[in-house]
Amino acid sequence: MPHPQTWLKPLPEGLFCEPGGFFIDPVRGVERAVITHAHSDHARPGHQHALASAPTIALMAARMGAGAPASTQAVGWGEKLQIGDVTVWLQPAGHVLGSAQICMEYQGSRAVVSGDYKRVADPSCDGFVPVACDVFVTEATFALPVFRHPDPASEIARLLASVALFPERTHVVGCYSLGKTQRLISLIRAAGWDAPIYMHGALVAMCAVYEQFGRRLGDLRPATVAAKADLVGQIVLAPPSAIADRWARRLAEPVVCLASGWMRVRQRAKQGGVELPLVISDHADWDELLATIDEVGAPEIWVTHGREEALIHAAGLRGVTGRALRLIGYEEDAE
Amino acid sequence: MIAFAGLLERLLFTPGRNAKIALMRRYFSTQPDPERGIGLAALTGDLRFAAAKAGLIRELAAERTDPVLFALSYDYVGDLAETVALIWPAKPTNHAPPLLSEVVETLNTTPKAELPGVVAAWLDACDPSVRLALLKLITGGLRVGASARLAKTALAECGEGVAPDDIEEIWHGLTPPYASLFGWIFADAPKPDPLDAPVFRSPMLAHPIAEAELAALDPATTRAEWKWDGIRVQLVSTPGGRALYSRGAEDISAAFPEIVAAMDAHAVLDGELLVVRDGVVASFSDLQKRLNRKTTTAKMLRESPVHVRLYDMLFDGAADIRALPFDQRRLRLEAWFARVQPKRMDLSEQIAFSSIDELAELRLSARAASIEGLMLKDGMSAYLPGRPKGPWWKWKRDPLSIDAVLMYAQRGHGKRSSFYSDYTFGLWRGEELLPVGKAYTGFTDAELAALDTWIRNHTTARFGPVREVERGIVLEVAFDAAQLSPRHKSGVALRFPRIARIRHDKQAAEADQLETLMALVL
């Protein structure tokens, strides 16, 4: 049985599956790409042919326009395809809508590239399915034992308590347009908030794709056309770059909130002028990373990006070999 | 402890004053006694207990975590207490998080050897936010994002018809957990009586005077004194103790022990704290070296000796003389001074004048940097708390000004957080621009919006929240005085700089040279 390192290779373009002739999440345009999820650092423009889950393909089309792949192939969860000499199938990664783990088997040797993932339940996407393998390729965005994400429901409770305490102000929550936004909306709805949620224009397109795939988000309205007075006491979602900048001047005495796993560390939260940090992450925290390594049972893990040193050290303590791939181009800060 | 930790976390991140008050009000009105009283003491810095050492929490963490992972984590987080709060692998426990009162009580009664076990059990019972508050509290590193004054303001707003000064005036006679204070604010208990404690009294402040008001003054009933550039202080000496307060009610006794030692007669006095060497008042920057210190060294006492110039008398012995006219209080002050002959104090000189014009000349002739201008007081005025309009005026010297080049701009806070509103400006030394100060007031909202747009379009470099801009905007900067300062690269520091005008008519090259400013240093 060939070791995965003989057929799955880190090249400058990204991880290359040699017997299948395709790259996984390549950082520049290639002939054949398999895409884990539609975030811009994983799904780059300019590919000739891309294979991914149906939601990922729809999200890529909505986000890229002319840069979208020339041809695409959507594949359902667990549906096995033969590409060259490799059997390929996708399993949900639980990161954002459509996010997939790429499972590959070649001559009895199995590798799983998990992309970005989380293990905690998320009403806005399908949950992670562990797949036993010989090499598990993992992210390490929050791979330090200081990162233990709290229950997201308790963070939403803090947001709603603040809305109640400051009824004369507008709460503006910074969140990335794909994934975090829709998860926040789902969590806010689950906490019983049925009122309209107002949105920055940059978040609208991704929400429409979620709706198209049956993820109900409730009454969403554009913040851009709403009068200042209409936004008093309301929740507004916007990209992190807008919440403390000129765009936010339209809001009534905004309480600036930011939903991100980085909010766990105070200095980091304070830097951005955030008034209410919400620790809500779409990446696995330290405990989830280790639990996943245990569950998939791989004797070896490869770490794509993040704090690989700590994760490889911790894997070593469990008798699992770790290797840093040092792939270039993935943004660890975007969350 | 949970509610207190939540309050601390929100205060730390909340920039707005009113929002901070709202957070504290909620805490005071929802927490039971004695928790809210202990919390109040923690907010005002009046909590006293035997603090644990930072080494204790380091050892606790070492027992439970892998050293490599701890080191990597500490390196990332950068703060020991926060690292431990986040990394702590809690053992399952049936214990609830401790109450704030329980933490303080336990720290004061537990033998040192038992402390690690006690703290570890607390950490097991808490979530990371509470752990952090706990660790900061017990190691004495608690940083509160609100001043003591703001906490008292929030508490006053919980009561009916209670002003912050009402609390201030009894505060120093009270001790944690302030049961009588909360009883007065929230229930029908009587206002606590501070008895003989050396409590603070709200000082009387002056308004800046305008032309018309100046013309209306009667020289016969107006008293003039120099307005000194030091720190306004209140000296309180009673049979129950002594205290030196800033005008914001902060007890600054510990920073100025020589003044406290000199206050050995029963009285409440109002004056200006100054550094005086051989009878000459030094610049404010000398006094700054003595500020905000919990202790002092013999060297500091020797190199920057302080002195109080007395303006007024509030209590003569036990007698409250605030209702008496200024002239009568002044006589009482002079008599007291002659009798007691206190060290490190003198009387503020009363300036003789017969007309406002004569006064105007005197004001112009005062060149000492330590003089800000004149104080004009109605001889009949009672000593009233706050800033009543009419009885007292301040007539500051006309500001000095320079034309400086905008060099850096920084985002403001709160309402201004989306604007570049803090400006660093510089003067030329040959071809080089040297920063000489920072200002963030003096412009209109419209000017701010225009500057903000210009800055965004002319940025040459970014350093976090700071942008470096092209040399294209000349600012006329007004300031009260220029003083030599070894701490600044330009060697000079400005007192109260503010933007007087935006000089759209000037090119950057036409701005002033550094030597022009140096010539204004006194």
Side-chain angles (χ1 to χ4, degrees):
Chain A
M1 187 179 85
H3 190 282
Q5 72 189 17
T6 62
W7 54 272
L8 190 60
K9 296 177 175 173
L11 299 184
E13 294 92 331
L15 210 49
F16 183 59
C17 178
E18 215 165 54
F22 60 85
F23 285 93
I24 298 167
D25 293 353
V27 295
R28 61 182 84 136
V30 298
E31 179 71 28
R32 296 170 68 80
V34 178
I35 306 296
T36 60
H37 65 287
H39 274 147
S40 59
D41 51 334
H42 291 261
R44 303 277 175 144
H47 304 316
Q48 284 305 308
H49 180 84
L51 182 138
S53 70
T56 296
I57 286 170
L59 290 164
M60 283 169 71
R63 135 168 273 170
M64 291 179 183
S71 79
T72 56
Q73 182 180 1
V75 56
W77 300 137
E79 197 181 311
K80 295 202 173 175
L81 299 173
Q82 198 65 32
I83 302 178
D85 295 331
V86 188
T87 307
V88 179
W89 71 101
L90 307 185
Q91 288 293 358
H95 176 55
V96 298
L97 181 68
S99 68
Q101 307 174 69
I102 316 298
C103 312
M104 292 159 286
E105 205 167 281
Y106 173 64
Q107 296 182 359
S109 149
R110 188 187 289 176
V112 172
V113 178
S114 56
D116 291 333
Y117 65 97
K118 70 172 176 293
R119 303 301 305 273
V120 68
D122 175 354
S124 68
C125 67
D126 294 333
F128 183 96
V129 173
V131 178
C133 53
D134 301 306
V135 164
F136 182 67
V137 184
T138 180
E139 60 151 320
T141 308
F142 290 109
L144 279 176
V146 290
F147 291 112
R148 289 193 171 84
H149 307 322
D151 176 10
S154 69
E155 296 298 287
I156 294 299
R158 293 204 304 128
L159 171 65
L160 296 182
S162 183
V163 172
L165 181 63
F166 297 112
E168 72 290 357
R169 303 176 70 187
T170 300
H171 282 66
V172 56
V173 187
C175 49
Y176 280 90
S177 64
L178 167 54
K180 189 64 62 64
T181 297
Q182 297 77 20
R183 181 167 178 221
L184 276 180
I185 295 169
S186 306
L187 287 166
I188 292 168
R189 297 295 183 213
W193 181 273
D194 296 325
I197 295 175
Y198 292 85
M199 321 268 295
H200 185 285
L203 309 183
V204 173
M206 295 296 113
C207 290
V209 180
Y210 270 66
E211 289 272 356
Q212 188 190 320
F213 281 87
R215 307 286 168 171
R216 293 279 161 256
L217 301 175
D219 187 356
L220 306 181
R221 299 186 189 177
T224 318
V225 296
K228 199 172 208 170
D230 293 343
L231 298 176
V232 167
Q234 300 300 322
I235 298 171
V236 175
L237 306 184
S241 58
I243 54 175
D245 209 340
R246 283 180 281 191
W247 183 84
R249 289 180 197 164
R250 74 192 67 229
L251 308 174
E253 280 191 72
V255 177
V256 176
C257 320
L258 187 62
S260 162
W262 300 115
M263 295 298 101
R264 185 84 272 183
V265 177
R266 285 206 176 164
Q267 208 42 50
R268 216 140 160 178
K270 266 207 82 94
Q271 272 169 5
V274 174
E275 185 165 344
L276 181 63
L278 300 171
V279 188
I280 299 179
S281 174
D282 289 336
H283 293 270
D285 69 5
W286 177 251
D287 292 335
E288 292 175 36
L289 288 168
L290 296 183
T292 305
I293 290 171
D294 290 345
E295 252 180 287
V296 299
E300 187 170 330
I301 59 162
W302 297 355
V303 184
T304 51
H305 60 293
R307 262 136 284 281
E308 53 264 40
E309 193 182 348
L311 190 59
I312 289 169
H313 176 79
L317 296 177
R318 305 166 116 75
V320 173
T321 305
R323 173 183 168 200
L325 289 184
R326 306 199 192 288
L327 293 176
I328 299 160
Y330 296 124
E331 294 160 26
E332 60 173 57
D333 279 358
E335 219 265 307
Chain B
M1 193 72 213
I2 296 174
F4 181 67
L7 174 67
L8 277 187
E9 188 169 315
R10 287 293 316 253
L11 285 178
L12 185 72
F13 287 108
T14 301
R17 180 177 183 275
N18 290 340
K20 284 180 202 269
I21 288 176
L23 290 164
M24 288 188 280
R25 280 187 64 166
R26 185 179 57 169
Y27 177 80
F28 294 139
S29 48
T30 55
Q31 291 304 300
D33 289 321
E35 299 310 312
R36 58 186 179 180
I38 306 278
L40 175 60
L43 294 173
T44 58
D46 289 291
L47 205 50
R48 298 281 171 267
F49 57 84
K53 295 258 163 43
L56 168 86
I57 59 173
R58 200 186 278 271
E59 282 162 27
L60 282 175
E63 278 175 29
R64 293 228 190 159
T65 57
D66 175 83
V68 173
L69 293 176
F70 185 84
L72 288 168
S73 297
Y74 185 22
D75 188 48
Y76 180 83
V77 176
D79 178 275
L80 181 67
E82 190 173 1
T83 307
V84 175
L86 293 175
I87 205 172
W88 188 255
K91 288 181 183 162
T93 172
N94 292 323
H95 291 283
L99 294 171
L100 181 57
S101 56
E102 188 185 336
V103 172
V104 174
E105 167 78 19
T106 307
L107 287 172
N108 278 330
T109 54
T110 307
K112 253 195 178 141
E114 291 171 29
L115 213 48
V118 169
V119 174
W122 282 340
L123 293 177
D124 283 338
C126 296
D127 74 8
S129 162
V130 180
R131 273 185 225 138
L132 180 55
L134 184 67
L135 290 172
K136 290 284 187 191
L137 184 72
I138 67 178
T139 54
L142 197 65
R143 271 224 216 102
V144 181
S147 66
R149 174 73 181 181
L150 203 61
K152 292 169 199 164
T153 305
L155 184 59
E157 288 190 9
C158 294
E160 261 179 58
V162 179
D165 285 336
D166 295 335
I167 293 178
E168 216 64 89
E169 297 199 357
I170 54 173
W171 179 258
H172 295 276
L174 306 171
T175 50
Y178 310 111
S180 61
L181 177 62
F182 282 95
W184 171 51
I185 297 283
F186 286 96
D188 291 329
K191 184 175 177 178
D193 183 349
L195 302 171
D196 262 345
V199 297
F200 174 80
R201 269 88 180 182
S202 189
M204 181 159 172
L205 304 171
H207 274 274
I209 196 161
E211 288 285 333
E213 293 149 350
L214 194 62
L217 286 183
D218 177 0
T221 59
T222 302
R223 312 290 168 245
E225 296 171 60
W226 295 119
K227 182 177 185 341
W228 295 94
D229 184 16
I231 302 170
R232 183 85 177 275
V233 288
Q234 188 172 98
L235 297 73
V236 186
S237 182
T238 69
R242 299 175 189 184
L244 181 67
Y245 295 109
S246 70
R247 71 173 224 200
E250 193 189 348
D251 187 339
I252 54 171
S253 309
F256 303 100
E258 69 265 56
I259 300 295
V260 177
M263 291 161 40
D264 57 0
H266 192 175
V268 178
L269 305 167
D270 181 340
E272 193 89 14
L273 186 68
L274 303 162
V275 168
V276 179
R277 292 192 197 90
D278 303 324
V280 179
V281 178
S283 76
F284 187 78
S285 59
D286 283 15
L287 185 57
Q288 253 171 340
K289 294 173 194 159
R290 296 281 309 263
L291 289 177
N292 302 323
R293 295 189 183 267
K294 290 211 173 76
T295 58
T296 51
T297 63
K299 183 165 175 262
M300 284 162 54
L301 294 182
R302 198 170 58 242
E303 290 183 353
S304 301
V306 287
H307 182 100
V308 176
R309 190 143 290 170
L310 297 170
Y311 292 137
D312 212 325
M313 183 174 227
L314 286 70
F315 279 68
D316 186 1
D320 182 353
I321 60 169
R322 286 178 287 182
L324 296 181
F326 175 79
D327 287 344
Q328 288 192 36
R329 293 200 308 278
R330 173 77 190 193
L331 291 176
R332 299 278 286 256
L333 175 62
E334 286 171 5
W336 175 88
F337 190 84
R339 191 171 70 243
V340 174
Q341 300 189 343
K343 289 184 185 135
R344 299 188 171 277
M345 294 178 211
D346 63 9
L347 293 173
S348 166
E349 177 196 355
Q350 293 219 304
I351 303 164
F353 67 102
S354 53
S355 70
I356 299 300
D357 288 343
E358 189 183 342
L359 210 51
E361 265 176 51
L362 278 167
R363 169 173 166 269
L364 286 178
S365 67
R367 296 300 296 147
S370 47
I371 291 180
E372 287 187 315
L374 288 168
M375 288 297 302
L376 306 173
K377 300 176 182 176
D378 179 352
M380 294 300 291
S381 57
Y383 193 97
L384 302 169
R387 205 186 290 272
K389 193 156 187 183
W392 288 12
W393 301 103
K394 54 184 173 189
W395 192 17
K396 282 198 171 190
R397 259 204 321 232
D398 288 336
L400 303 164
S401 87
I402 46 167
D403 288 337
V405 183
L406 176 63
M407 297 178 70
Y408 304 97
Q410 183 172 359
R411 294 264 197 124
H413 298 280
K415 277 192 168 58
R416 281 182 170 183
S417 59
S418 73
F419 290 96
Y420 285 87
S421 61
D422 297 8
Y423 307 122
T424 300
F425 46 84
L427 297 177
W428 295 106
R429 187 173 65 192
E431 296 290 294
E432 187 189 14
L433 263 181
L434 283 178
V436 295
K438 258 179 108 165
Y440 40 89
T441 55
F443 36 80
T444 64
D445 286 352
E447 285 171 326
L448 172 61
L451 279 173
D452 180 72
T453 304
W454 188 90
I455 287 158
R456 289 168 189 272
N457 293 333
H458 297 82
T459 300
T460 55
R462 291 182 190 214
F463 313 93
V466 177
R467 289 182 185 225
E468 185 173 10
V469 295
E470 286 168 22
R471 314 305 189 210
I473 294 268
V474 176
L475 301 168
E476 181 179 322
V477 179
F479 55 97
D480 285 5
Q483 297 165 353
L484 291 179
S485 165
R487 284 193 299 182
H488 292 74
K489 192 180 171 194
S490 61
V492 61
L494 306 180
R495 282 287 281 159
F496 301 123
R498 62 264 185 193
I499 309 295
R501 261 194 303 167
I502 302 163
R503 296 295 304 263
H504 293 297
D505 55 320
K506 279 202 165 187
Q507 304 286 321
E510 297 171 70
D512 283 324
Q513 299 287 322
L514 182 59
E515 59 196 40
T516 311
L517 177 60
M518 284 306 200
L520 298 173
V521 174
L522 293 168

